């Protein structure tokens, strides 16, 4: 099946031609993501919670399990299962990054700071959320009073 190119003569292009043209022009750049060690699997997808290094170090003792953590000097990147932001408002200055996508122009690339012994790279998101609420002085969203 061809796609009409709107040229004089009614030529059509095949999907292969369109794909080659996109590759030749560069197309959209692929997002760079944090890379977990090869021995690990991501059965639940992968997002990241980015925390200033000083807060991250203070939250660490409050966690029952620590998954893969990356650091770039000023921030720690905690690997959590995809959609770990569902029904949670992460406290400031924490950032939630779907897909564990790195900024287009990172200051420095995050390096692996910690990897667990097993094959799953996740830090449990609820204990991480609670620990970060504690060190930032924020109340967990579900403990905020609901008004009518």
């Amino acid at each position: 099946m061809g796609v009409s190119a709107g040229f004089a003569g009614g030529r059509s292009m095949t999907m292969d031609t369109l794909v080659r043209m996109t590759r030749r022009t560069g197309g959209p750049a692929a997002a760079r993501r944090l890379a977990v060690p090869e021995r690990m699997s991501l059965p639940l997808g992968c997002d990241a919670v980015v925390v200033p290094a000083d807060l991250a170090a203070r939250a660490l003792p409050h966690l029952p399990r620590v998954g893969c953590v990356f650091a770039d000097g000023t921030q720690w990147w905690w690997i959590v299962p995809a959609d770990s932001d569902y029904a949670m408002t992460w406290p400031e200055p924490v950032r939630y990054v779907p897909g564990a996508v790195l900024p287009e122009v990172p200051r420095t690339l995050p390096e692996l700071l910690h990897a667990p012994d097993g094959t799953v790279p996740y830090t449990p998101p609820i204990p991480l959320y609670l620990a970060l609420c504690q060190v930032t002085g924020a109340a967990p969203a579900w403990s905020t009073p609901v008004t009518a």
Side-chain angles (χ1 to χ4, degrees):
M1 173 168 129
V3 176
S4 175
F7 293 39
R11 289 189 334 191
S12 62
M13 288 190 250
T14 66
M15 186 58 75
D16 290 338
T17 303
L18 291 171
V19 169
R20 275 196 305 276
M21 287 175 62
T22 301
R23 288 182 182 153
R24 201 173 314 132
T25 60
R32 291 189 335 177
R33 302 177 191 282
L34 290 172
V36 299
E38 288 183 25
R39 66 180 168 81
M40 297 192 161
S41 64
L42 297 166
L44 302 175
C46 179
D47 290 346
V49 176
V50 184
V51 183
D54 61 327
L55 291 175
R58 289 179 29 214
L60 189 61
H62 301 286
L63 297 172
R65 180 184 187 283
V66 178
C68 284
V69 180
F70 293 81
D72 67 5
T74 61
Q75 306 175 110
W76 287 16
W77 299 67
W78 303 77
I79 299 299
V80 294
D83 300 323
S84 292
D85 61 336
Y86 182 75
M88 283 196 269
T89 303
W90 291 83
E92 289 291 330
V94 174
R95 286 185 304 121
Y96 188 85
V97 182
V101 176
L102 294 169
E104 283 188 36
V105 183
R107 287 172 271 167
T108 58
L109 289 175
E111 295 181 14
L112 187 62
L113 179 68
H114 177 269
D117 293 331
T119 60
V120 180
Y122 307 123
T123 295
I126 293 176
L128 178 60
Y129 174 75
L130 292 171
L132 292 172
C133 283
Q134 184 176 10
V135 300
T136 60
W142 59 74
S143 67
T144 303
V146 177
T147 59

